[in-house]
Amino acid sequence: MTETGGGPVRSSAVEELDRQIVDLLMADGRMSYTDLGKATGLSTSAVHQRVRRLEQRGVIRGYAAIVDAEAVGLSLTAFISVKPFDPSAPDDIPERLADVPEIEACHSVAGDENYILKVRVSTPIELEHLLARVRTLAGVSTRTTVVLSTPYESRPPRI
Amino acid sequence: MTETGGGPVRSSAVEELDRQIVDLLMADGRMSYTDLGKATGLSTSAVHQRVRRLEQRGVIRGYAAIVDAEAVGLSLTAFISVKPFDPSAPDDIPERLADVPEIEACHSVAGDENYILKVRVSTPIELEHLLARVRTLAGVSTRTTVVLSTPYESRPPRI
DNA sequence: TATGAAATAAGGGGGCT
DNA sequence: AGCCCCCTTATTTCATA
């Protein structure tokens, strides 16, 4: 092991105990180190060390409250597929859109379009304005799929 | 001698305080009640009470560690758009797919297809098997968009 | 093991009906 | 006036470093 820091480790194997810890923290991000220790058979400080290491390695990128978007006024979710007007131009689309707060996620994809954006706004008019901003900022054409309802979301993966 | 805090006391600020708390917890789901109190000008227990109420009302649905999917062996993300073979059949697609652990999210959408699923697997072969399972379980045809890379994801919304 | 945070109980003030 | 909601303070228990 010569990797001692200076960038996220991408292809690291996560061993069994780390896997358990990550699994538990994905299901309950506020679980205490004491409870994590009980669940894994480790001491509190051993768990703490492992969690800190997982955070430093970038395996755990952070923690978040999962919030009902409607309850905070973001009633409209949509997926926007984008394709550059000029396919020969250098692709800096993610960077150009990075500061648009309505964009929750940006995925580069295989298929007809180049990127899929997941966005949240309050109203259809805001979506209209957002689409105009995206087209202008990134130099893209858009195809938008409006979400009608979300049976489930943010389910922790079984790893 | 009992200074109650720096902020003005206004009952109209109640909604605003909840919004602040939710905002902070979306950005850092493990922030302590003490720190939330410092950030909002409330006492620890006032924050605690508000958070519990937000949880009970369903505004805060839970907490999760945000994990680098690749680091835990889920290297392949895809969006699967599904459409029922028999459009006249009763639509219980979300229920039929609810127990498939690879499905992280299920959105009902407007457009050519009825649902968009977000899935995570380890390998292309697993994706192939997952697609077969989805088609069989839910009685749908599928159109799959493979994610090549994810510039960003899980960004907390600005509320 | 010492410090700090979480949980719980008890007391007080302001707005609303 | 009375009620309800919500904030504070105080104390104990428990987690963290």
Side-chain angles (χ1 to χ4, degrees):
Chain A
M1 173 58 100
T2 55
E3 178 68 48
T4 56
V9 177
R10 285 171 294 107
S11 59
S12 53
V14 176
E15 61 159 308
E16 173 62 16
L17 281 168
D18 283 343
R19 193 200 58 74
Q20 276 185 46
I21 291 170
V22 166
D23 206 7
L24 291 160
L25 282 174
M26 280 193 299
D28 178 6
R30 278 184 84 89
M31 187 177 273
S32 71
Y33 299 133
T34 304
D35 285 350
L36 287 169
K38 285 174 189 162
T40 55
L42 294 175
S43 73
T44 302
S45 41
V47 167
H48 193 189
Q49 258 178 292
R50 279 178 182 269
V51 170
R52 281 209 327 226
R53 235 182 103 69
L54 288 165
E55 290 168 353
Q56 283 169 353
R57 287 163 61 200
V59 176
I60 295 176
R61 300 212 321 266
Y63 305 88
I66 299 170
V67 169
D68 181 351
E70 291 207 24
V72 295
L74 297 173
S75 316
L76 183 44
T77 301
F79 292 98
I80 307 178
S81 303
V82 310
K83 180 158 53 170
F85 285 129
D86 176 5
S88 68
D91 182 353
D92 54 357
I93 290 171
E95 291 78 14
R96 284 170 177 273
L97 296 175
D99 290 333
V100 180
E102 289 89 346
I103 302 177
E104 184 182 307
C106 172
H107 302 276
S108 162
V109 294
D112 270 357
E113 285 103 356
N114 296 41
Y115 292 92
I116 291 180
L117 313 175
K118 183 183 181 187
V119 305
R120 293 203 199 260
V121 293
S122 301
T123 63
I125 289 176
E126 280 187 26
L127 179 57
E128 183 178 20
H129 295 155
L130 173 61
L131 284 166
R133 222 179 323 149
V134 166
R135 285 192 276 255
T136 309
L137 278 173
V140 294
S141 63
T142 61
R143 183 176 63 86
T144 301
T145 301
V146 170
V147 171
L148 302 172
S149 73
T150 297
Y152 36 85
E153 185 176 30
S154 305
R155 299 204 310 184
R158 197 190 55 68
I159 62 172
Chain B
M1 205 56 65
T2 335
E3 182 55 45
T4 55
V9 179
R10 290 187 299 191
S11 62
S12 65
V14 167
E15 292 302 326
E16 171 66 13
L17 284 170
D18 282 344
R19 193 201 58 74
Q20 277 186 47
I21 291 169
V22 167
D23 207 8
L24 291 161
L25 282 175
M26 282 192 299
D28 178 5
R30 276 183 87 87
M31 186 177 275
S32 72
Y33 298 133
T34 305
D35 285 349
L36 287 169
K38 285 174 189 160
T40 55
L42 294 177
S43 73
T44 302
S45 21
V47 166
H48 192 190
Q49 286 171 58
R50 277 178 181 270
V51 170
R52 288 194 6 154
R53 237 178 77 240
L54 288 165
E55 290 168 354
Q56 283 169 352
R57 284 197 293 162
V59 176
I60 295 176
R61 300 212 320 266
Y63 305 87
I66 300 170
V67 170
D68 181 351
E70 289 206 26
V72 295
L74 297 173
S75 315
L76 182 44
T77 301
F79 292 98
I80 307 178
S81 303
V82 310
K83 181 158 51 171
F85 286 129
D86 177 5
S88 69
D91 181 353
D92 54 357
I93 290 171
E95 291 78 14
R96 285 170 177 271
L97 297 175
D99 291 332
V100 181
E102 289 89 345
I103 301 176
E104 184 181 307
C106 171
H107 302 276
S108 162
V109 294
D112 271 358
E113 286 104 357
N114 295 40
Y115 293 92
I116 291 180
L117 313 176
K118 182 183 182 187
V119 305
R120 294 204 198 259
V121 293
S122 300
T123 63
I125 289 176
E126 280 187 28
L127 180 57
E128 183 178 20
H129 295 154
L130 174 61
L131 284 166
R133 224 180 321 149
V134 166
R135 285 191 276 256
T136 309
L137 278 172
V140 295
S141 64
T142 61
R143 181 175 65 85
T144 301
T145 301
V146 171
V147 171
L148 303 173
S149 73
T150 296
Y152 36 86
E153 186 177 27
S154 305
R155 299 205 308 184
R158 176 80 201 90
I159 62 170

